């Protein structure tokens, strides 16, 4: 096993501290793309890792910044891969955005949504009205997500409403979405950067990781202290940063976007670095011997 308890980490600068920390873990929040699968390819170690967590009595949830699929779509996607998850085990940035608007903007009912039909459907099921690409159909707010069905006219309409100073929310800051194909999947962060260049305005709020609010539902649901949770993902600027913002333990896996060269250049230092979930499983087993 080649594992890293990153030596510059203020929390875990020795393996004794690493294993003491892991003994205390009751729940693992798992990023999806780049962590449990890459695009449409499930990593071979994912199902054995989840089985080991159940055997050890450690709970887990799936957290994703990708709002392009609804909760139901994600559960069906996981099921096809052989992962049988429940609605309670799934939390997306679309869900977090819906909760944010309902809590902080209760007057906002009509939303112009730059997102996939699946994402728009999730908002409509939550009671919002999705406004049309029509200058007369004025929304209460604008929501921009990872829109894999991006339409130029709708991008222009979203930019117009943003320029009119309407409340403006983005679901997540990711620049690209991981994929196993030879293509760059332009994500929400790149889309709202395009809108910023056109309008001079950034979103009022970016909801997804690294916003620590993405972990609140898990902490509340399972009555957990942040120190009892590992946030595991393949990105420093979202997954690890959110963990540290929330007071949880940030685990970087090198199975997705991030390389050790990126780690060395980053101002945010992961608490734990593992090659992949299989290596993290070895750490958990060793810690609990």
């Amino acid at each position: 096993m080649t594992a890293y308890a990153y030596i510059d980490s203020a929390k875990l600068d020795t393996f004794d501290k690493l294993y003491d920390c892991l003994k205390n873990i009751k729940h693992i929040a798992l990023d999806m793309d780049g962590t449990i699968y890459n695009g449409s390819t499930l990593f071979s170690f994912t199902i054995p890792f989840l089985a080991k967590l159940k055997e050890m009595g450690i709970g887990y949830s799936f957290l994703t910044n990708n709002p392009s699929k609804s909760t139901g779509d994600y559960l069906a996607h996981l099921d096809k891969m052989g992962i049988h998850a429940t609605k309670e085990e799934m939390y997306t940035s679309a869900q977090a955005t819906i909760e944010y608007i309902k809590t902080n903007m209760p007057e906002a009912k009509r939303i112009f949504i730059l997102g996939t039909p699946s994402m728009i459907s999730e908002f409509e099921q939550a009671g919002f009205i999705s406004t049309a690409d029509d200058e007369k159909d004025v929304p209460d707010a604008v929501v921009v997500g990872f829109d894999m069905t991006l339409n130029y006219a709708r991008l222009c309409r979203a930019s117009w409403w943003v320029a009119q100073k309407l409340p403006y929310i983005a679901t997540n800051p990711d620049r690209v979405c991981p994929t196993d194909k030879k293509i760059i999947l332009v994500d929400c962060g790149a889309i709202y950067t395009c809108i910023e260049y056109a309008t001079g305005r950034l979103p009022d709020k970016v909801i997804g990781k690294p916003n620590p609010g993405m972990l609140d539902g898990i902490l509340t649901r399972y009555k957990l202290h942040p120190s009892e949770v590992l946030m595991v993902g393949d990105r420093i600027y979202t997954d690890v940063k959110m963990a540290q913002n929330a007071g949880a333990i940030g685990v970087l896996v090198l199975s997705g976007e991030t390389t050790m060269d990126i780690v060395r250049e980053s101002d945010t230092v992961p608490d734990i670095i593992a090659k992949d979930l299989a290596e993290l499983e070895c750490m958990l087993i060793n810690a609990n011997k």
Side-chain angles (χ1 to χ4, degrees), residues 62-219:
F62 300 106
L63 245 68
T64 179
N65 263 8
N66 186 338
S68 64
K69 297 182 180 70
S70 68
T71 301
D73 288 340
Y74 268 119
L75 293 177
H77 180 60
L78 289 174
D79 195 64
K80 286 180 182 177
M81 291 183 167
I83 299 174
H84 308 299
T86 66
K87 183 178 179 180
E88 291 69 32
E89 290 171 337
M90 188 77 240
Y91 196 60
T92 73
S93 61
Q95 289 175 273
T97 302
I98 287 168
E99 290 181 12
Y100 177 84
I101 294 173
K102 286 188 171 184
T103 301
N104 297 279
M105 304 163 58
E107 72 289 348
K109 305 297 183 185
R110 298 166 48 77
I111 314 287
F112 186 86
I113 304 168
L114 200 62
T116 61
S118 182
M119 176 179 155
I120 291 172
S121 175
E122 185 136 14
F123 272 76
E124 290 175 339
Q125 288 173 23
F128 293 102
I129 297 168
S130 172
T131 62
D133 176 14
D134 184 337
E135 65 181 61
K136 297 178 182 179
D137 197 3
V138 182
D140 300 320
V142 178
V143 171
V144 171
F146 173 31
D147 189 358
M148 299 175 73
T149 59
L150 187 63
N151 172 280
Y152 183 72
R154 289 184 61 79
L155 175 63
C156 293
R157 181 65 60 197
S159 298
W160 169 254
W161 293 133
V162 167
Q164 305 315 300
K165 308 301 182 185
L166 292 179
Y168 172 29
I169 311 297
T171 58
N172 59 294
D174 304 64
R175 297 184 289 270
V176 299
C177 181
T179 178
D180 55 352
K181 297 178 174 59
K182 293 182 178 179
I183 192 170
I184 291 177
L185 295 180
V186 175
D187 209 327
C188 181
I191 294 172
Y192 70 64
T193 299
C194 170
I195 294 173
E196 179 200 5
Y197 201 70
T199 67
R201 185 180 171 200
L202 282 167
D204 302 325
K205 185 76 173 178
V206 180
I207 298 297
K209 299 174 288 187
N211 186 333
M214 279 287 284
L215 267 183
D216 286 348
I218 289 173
L219 297 176

